[in-house]
Amino acid sequence: MNSPKPLILASGSEIRRALLQNSGVTFEVIVGRIDEESVKDALLSEGATPREIADALAEGKARKVSMKHPEAMVIGCDQVLSFKGRLISKAKDIKEARALLGEMRGERHSLLSAAVIYENGEPKWRHVGEVRLTMNALSEAYLDAYLERNWDSIRHAVGCYKLEEEGVRLFSRIDGDYFTVLGLPLLPLLAYLSQRGMIAS
């Protein structure tokens, strides 16, 4: 089936790219770069919720690429972590990661993964998936060893873990969609692409 228009993923995430490729979707990647920290800070100062922040970041990336490629359908994505009412950003270094994991162990937090589709510079579809994760009461020794083994892989991961890797051992319970944990609400996205005739169904 030939797509009626080009499809662009405005994300540099390897796992998002793999999820779409493995689904048999034809697309190209053009990364939509925005100043995420400035956007987060501005929204937090206005009292925005983590859900609203995830949505706004995804929309910003989709909008930026769509302005340069109005003929395409552009997918923007982002993911944020909410813990005890506050937004958690990527750890700056292994020391900060260790402090964060120490605080989150034995507790529950939420991952919110947003996807927004733009066409002709305008938003056409959006979805924010939420997953609740409960972390094991991990020992000090295990956390130290975990970070030592995995830091190169997880240094850019929100929450300092990847569920598709050893990070799965950090958790006792996960409530929600696996793809959303990985950073893409894949099933709702595929349903929309099918509805629009972008993929066969």
Side-chain angles (χ1 to χ4, degrees):
M1 177 180 182
N2 294 321
S3 297
K5 59 174 61 184
L7 183 65
I8 296 173
L9 176 63
S11 170
S13 163
E14 290 297 327
I15 190 68
R16 291 189 183 109
R17 180 186 308 196
L19 288 173
L20 274 182
Q21 283 178 339
N22 293 343
S23 302
V25 177
T26 300
F27 64 98
E28 65 175 310
V29 173
I30 300 175
V31 180
R33 301 194 186 281
I34 61 173
D35 188 341
E36 294 187 34
E37 292 307 314
S38 294
V39 173
K40 285 181 188 177
D41 290 345
L43 289 170
L44 285 170
S45 70
E46 297 169 4
T49 66
R51 178 177 291 270
E52 290 167 338
I53 292 170
D55 179 74
L57 290 168
E59 179 166 355
K61 294 170 185 178
R63 182 194 306 116
K64 186 162 187 178
V65 174
S66 183
M67 292 301 182
K68 294 180 180 177
H69 301 274
E71 78 291 352
M73 184 180 285
V74 180
I75 307 168
C77 312
D78 208 276
Q79 184 182 62
V80 302
L81 189 156
S82 176
F83 176 57
K84 292 187 174 180
R86 74 180 198 268
L87 195 72
I88 302 296
S89 296
K90 295 170 185 175
K92 295 181 179 65
D93 53 39
I94 196 167
K95 184 178 178 181
E96 188 173 299
R98 178 64 176 80
L100 175 61
L101 289 174
E103 188 180 359
M104 292 200 303
R105 63 184 166 181
E107 302 281 355
R108 192 166 79 158
H109 65 267
S110 294
L111 281 176
L112 298 106
S113 294
V116 176
I117 289 181
Y118 258 62
E119 290 180 81
N120 300 311
E122 296 182 352
K124 297 296 183 181
W125 177 86
R126 63 200 330 123
H127 181 87
V128 181
E130 181 173 359
V131 177
R132 292 179 174 85
L133 304 96
T134 303
M135 196 171 281
N136 285 311
L138 303 157
S139 69
E140 303 283 347
Y142 178 74
L143 283 181
D144 289 339
Y146 164 78
L147 284 171
E148 185 177 345
R149 282 192 298 271
N150 295 281
W151 178 242
D152 284 344
S153 176
I154 63 172
R155 62 192 311 151
H156 299 302
V158 174
C160 309
Y161 59 83
K162 291 182 178 179
L163 211 65
E164 67 273 26
E165 297 177 5
E166 188 183 342
V168 71
R169 289 170 56 185
L170 303 181
F171 299 98
S172 60
R173 183 181 176 94
I174 298 171
D175 296 299
D177 178 71
Y178 178 68
F179 299 114
T180 297
V181 178
L182 299 184
L184 185 67
L186 183 62
L187 298 181
L189 174 61
L190 292 175
Y192 179 75
L193 294 178
S194 174
Q195 175 192 326
R196 288 292 308 274
M198 295 292 289
I199 59 174
S201 61

